[in-house]
Amino acid sequence: MVREANVKQATAEKQLKEAQGKIDVLQAEVAALKTLVLSSSPTSPTQEPLPGGKTHFKKGHTRNKSTSSAMSGSHQDLSVIQPIVKDCKEADLSLYNEFRSWKDEPIMDRTCPFLDKIYQEDIFPCLTFSKSELASAVLEAVENNTLSIEPVGLQPIRFVKASAVECGGPKKCALTGQSKSCKHRIKLGDSSNYYYISPFCRYRITSVCNFFTYIRYIQQGLVKQQDVDQMFWEVMQLRKEMSLAKLGYFKEEL
C-alpha cells in the first residue's frame, strides 16, 4: 500500500511539473505577442543599435525573436501591408481614333470601321440565341428602332392570344426555348405577335438598345453637354454593359 501511494505521488508530481512547464511556455508566448504588438505601434518606434553604442529610432516594427516557431506559423506577419488598389482606365488609341472619325461623319452603317468592330465583338455575341431566326429579327428591330418591350400583365394565361402563346409563354423563353419565368415580352415592328423573354435575355437586348440609343443621339446632334472624350468613354461604358450581359451577368427587377 505504501509503495502504491508513493507511485501515485510521484506520478502526480511529474504531471504537476509538466503542467507548470506548459504554463510557462504559454506565458512566454503571450508576453512575446504583447511585445510584438507594442513594437508595431506607430507611436512606439523600434530602437536599433548603431556602431559606437548609439541608438537611433526606426519607424515600423520587426518580429520579436522570442516569438516561438509555433506562433510564427499560426499568426500572420503584422508587417505585411496590403496594397491600395484603384480603378484605372486608358483609351485604346485605335478605338479612339475610329470613334473620332465616325463622330465627324456619324452614320449608322454597320460596315464602317467603328461600328463593324462593335458588331463583331459585342452586338452579335450579345444577341446570339438558340432561336437564330427570331434573334435575327430582334437585331433588325433594334437597328430600325421598332422593338418594344413591355412587362407581362397579370391576366391569366387563358386570356392571352393564341399567337402570343405560340411564341413562348410566361414559363418559356421564346429566344432560348428554355423553361424560365418570363416577366417581359417583346413585339417586333407592326407584328401582332408577342414573344416572352427571360430576364437574362431582356437584359441582353436592353444593353444593345441602350448602345444604339446613345449613338443615335450623337448622330442627331443631341449630345451637346459632352466633349469627344466624354462621349468615347460613355460608348466604352455601354460596350462594357454588353460584354457583361453576353457573359451572363444581368440585373433583374424584383
Side-chain angles (χ1 to χ4, degrees):
M1 293 178 62
V2 174
R3 178 179 177 81
E4 184 179 355
N6 291 335
V7 171
K8 290 182 178 180
Q9 181 178 358
T11 302
E13 290 177 351
K14 182 180 179 180
Q15 292 177 347
L16 177 60
K17 289 181 180 180
E18 290 177 352
Q20 290 177 342
K22 292 181 180 179
I23 293 174
D24 292 338
V25 172
L26 291 175
Q27 289 177 342
E29 290 184 352
V30 171
L33 181 59
K34 288 182 178 180
T35 303
L36 180 63
V37 173
L38 291 176
S39 63
S40 65
S41 173
T43 59
S44 302
T46 302
Q47 293 186 358
E48 291 186 357
L50 288 175
K54 296 182 180 180
T55 61
H56 74 277
F57 290 96
K58 179 181 178 181
K59 293 183 179 180
H61 64 274
T62 57
R63 178 173 290 278
N64 193 294
K65 294 182 179 180
S66 63
T67 306
S68 67
S69 59
M71 277 186 55
S72 62
S74 60
H75 294 283
Q76 183 180 2
D77 189 353
L78 298 179
S79 64
V80 176
I81 300 177
Q82 296 297 328
I84 299 176
V85 180
K86 66 176 181 179
D87 293 331
C88 302
K89 61 183 181 181
E90 181 177 349
D92 183 290
L93 291 181
S94 62
L95 293 177
Y96 182 76
N97 292 332
E98 289 175 355
F99 172 73
R100 287 185 65 99
S101 299
W102 175 84
K103 182 182 176 298
D104 292 338
E105 297 180 5
I107 57 175
M108 301 303 292
D109 185 359
R110 67 167 66 175
T111 61
C112 71
F114 167 66
L115 289 180
D116 178 64
K117 185 184 294 291
I118 298 177
Y119 265 94
Q120 298 299 328
E121 296 180 357
D122 301 313
I123 296 175
F124 286 148
C126 205
L127 294 183
T128 297
F129 302 99
S130 57
K131 305 297 182 181
S132 57
E133 184 176 351
L134 178 57
S136 299
V138 169
L139 174 57
E140 182 179 356
V142 172
E143 291 174 324
N144 297 330
N145 199 22
T146 58
L147 181 142
S148 60
I149 304 178
E150 63 182 37
V152 175
L154 300 178
Q155 69 272 21
I157 188 64
R158 62 178 179 272
F159 293 117
V160 181
K161 292 181 180 180
S163 59
V165 176
E166 294 172 356
C167 302
K171 297 296 182 181
K172 185 177 182 180
C173 178
L175 283 168
T176 63
Q178 298 178 347
S179 297
K180 298 288 184 179
S181 177
C182 301
K183 300 179 181 180
H184 292 81
R185 61 185 186 179
I186 58 175
K187 189 165 76 75
L188 310 179
D190 297 330
S191 172
S192 60
N193 292 342
Y194 285 93
Y195 301 88
Y196 289 82
I197 57 174
S198 65
F200 174 44
C201 293
R202 172 183 175 268
Y203 192 76
R204 290 169 67 171
I205 294 173
T206 55
S207 65
V208 177
C209 289
N210 291 339
F211 169 77
F212 273 99
T213 298
Y214 185 71
I215 62 173
R216 285 194 192 99
Y217 286 165
I218 296 178
Q219 183 194 33
Q220 297 168 7
L222 300 178
V223 184
K224 300 179 180 180
Q225 302 300 322
Q226 295 178 327
D227 57 28
V228 63
D229 290 348
Q230 293 172 321
M231 292 181 189
F232 172 78
W233 284 115
E234 181 63 26
V235 170
M236 293 302 104
Q237 178 63 33
L238 294 170
R239 291 192 63 184
K240 178 181 177 181
E241 292 178 4
M242 287 190 287
S243 297
L244 291 174
K246 70 185 179 184
L247 291 174
Y249 297 94
F250 67 98
K251 300 175 183 178
E252 182 179 3
E253 296 179 358
L254 300 178

